[in-house]
Amino acid sequence: MTDVARIWSYLSTEPLLWLTCTIVVYVGAEAVALRLGRRALANPVLFSVLIIAPILWLSGTPYETYFEGAQFIHFLLGPATVALAVPLHANLRTVARTAGPILAALVVGSVVAALSAVWLAKAFGLSDQVIVSLSPKSTTAPVALGISEALGGLPTLTAVLVILTGIIGAITVTPLMNAMGITDWRARGFAVGVAAHGIGTARAFQVNELAGTFAGIGMALNAILTSLIAPLIVALVL
Amino acid sequence: MINAIAVILSCQLAGEVAARGLGLPVPGPVLGFVLLLILLMLRPALAEAIGGTARGILAHLSLLFVPAGVGVVGNLDLLSRNWFPIAVVLVVSTVIAMIASVLTFLAVNRLSGGGHD
């Protein structure tokens, strides 16, 4: 065995390589996004996936091997959800004053997101399994996987659909809200949090802290509501 | 920082135990989020102790979605066979959900006499 092969065989069985790769690529993607002036299309998640996926494909690395390293980052989704309590607490007075609009926008946004996805997918003739996997697509990843699994969907497909939804929301929210002439940061943030979970929330935090806070609330509340309504919506359409 | 991690993980753990133990449909981290919010309301001083770490995690929220996003490699077959309908479904439903949600927010805010931010 050559040295290179020996080093590779060590690296490819340890979590270090893919953990490092994920973080380094993300740091680079962030730097590029920043250089592009945080334009909506310059989404760091999208850039990172577009770089890492071909690396795995070219090196013949199965996703499972990659995930052994990347799981340490994936795990932080849970603590990050808990940490959303901090900006919420800092803006509690503003939020408490807005309880009515929040609840109404939550119910409407959550139902429209899930029902429109499931109904459109059915109209396109997609398979039942894909339809079920689509139903929690606006929900934050760890929650969506649980919902999909419980309803008989494919959790790995749901993960990808959730990420794609987040990227779409993060890319479209700024031009969409500007075109609609909406200047209320609370409303803008909340809508993207409900429709595009954590990736939308990350985008909202880049634009405005108040928008980010409301996005975080939208994401957390939608995680609760979607776990309750997704089974009903799937039963209704399928 | 280590204190902050201890608090955040404890909230998540308590949330997971509560969700599973009581058979609640609500995910553990979401219950942990509610729990941390209650703790912060009871002891506002806690915000100073954990604020830095919490904001640090949230500043790089996008990074945390990369591992799941790379899962696209495992689903290329299914996605490439159905890319058009899936793309339409995702774009249309996400955009109309945002429009419906933001308009509802503004309408109810106006009805309830709430001001602008």
Side-chain angles (χ1 to χ4, degrees), chain B residues 7-80:
Chain B
V7 171
I8 291 170
L9 286 182
S10 300
C11 287
Q12 188 184 350
L13 180 62
E16 290 288 1
V17 170
R20 278 154 217 275
L22 304 173
L24 301 174
V26 181
V30 175
L31 287 182
F33 157 80
V34 175
L35 181 60
L36 180 57
L37 183 62
I38 293 170
L39 289 178
L40 287 168
M41 282 156 65
L42 294 177
R43 290 201 48 188
L46 196 60
E48 224 158 288
I50 66 170
T53 304
R55 287 203 165 81
I57 298 176
L58 293 175
H60 295 289
L61 195 55
S62 303
L63 165 67
L64 314 187
F65 291 92
V66 173
V70 174
V72 72
V73 292
N75 292 285
L76 277 183
D77 209 37
L78 200 157
L79 290 172
S80 60

Side-chain angles (χ1 to χ4, degrees), chain A residues 98-105 108, chain B residues 101-114:
Chain A
T98 331
I102 283 178
L103 288 178
V108 171
Chain B
S101 186
V102 81
L103 292 180
T104 306
F105 189 106
L106 293 175
V108 175
N109 186 50
R110 205 170 309 123
L111 284 177
S112 59

Side-chain angles (χ1 to χ4, degrees), chain A residues 199-210:
Chain A
I199 300 180
T201 301
R203 170 67 185 166
F205 268 118
Q206 283 172 4
V207 178
N208 178 286
E209 209 206 42
L210 188 61

Side-chain angles (χ1 to χ4, degrees), chain A residues 46-227:
Chain A
L46 180 63
F47 283 2
S48 301
V49 171
L50 288 178
I51 296 166
I52 297 171
I55 294 177
L56 295 184
W57 187 72
L58 289 173
S59 63
T61 305
Y63 180 66
E64 290 67 32
T65 306
Y66 166 78
F67 197 76
E68 265 166 47
Q71 62 176 322
F72 301 107
I73 296 168
H74 184 77
F75 170 79
L76 289 174
L77 282 167
T81 306
V82 177
L84 283 169
V86 170
L88 173 55
H89 177 255
N91 291 284
L92 207 54
R93 223 166 283 154
T94 317
V95 173
R97 269 204 315 264
T98 331
I102 283 178
L103 288 178
L106 166 70
V107 173
V108 171
S110 184
V111 170
V112 169
L115 193 59
S116 66
V118 168
W119 183 79
L120 268 172
K122 176 89 177 163
F124 272 117
L126 289 169
S127 75
D128 286 3
Q129 200 169 40
V130 174
I131 296 177
V132 169
S133 305
L134 266 167
S135 64
K137 62 144 184 83
S138 284
T139 319
T140 187
V143 179
L145 302 194
I147 296 173
S148 174
E149 206 162 18
L151 297 177
L154 295 167
T156 58
L157 177 63
T158 295
V160 174
L161 297 171
V162 165
I163 306 302
L164 290 172
T165 298
I167 292 171
I168 291 166
I171 287 176
T172 53
V173 63
T174 305
L176 176 71
M177 296 297 164
N178 288 347
M180 290 172 74
I182 288 158
T183 52
D184 190 324
W185 289 115
R186 302 168 305 173
R188 288 173 68 126
F190 192 80
V192 77
V194 168
H197 58 87
I199 300 180
T201 301
R203 170 67 185 166
F205 268 118
Q206 283 172 4
V207 178
N208 178 286
E209 209 206 42
L210 188 61
T213 301
F214 272 78
I217 299 162
M219 161 177 133
L221 292 177
N222 191 33
I224 300 173
L225 188 60
T226 308
S227 21

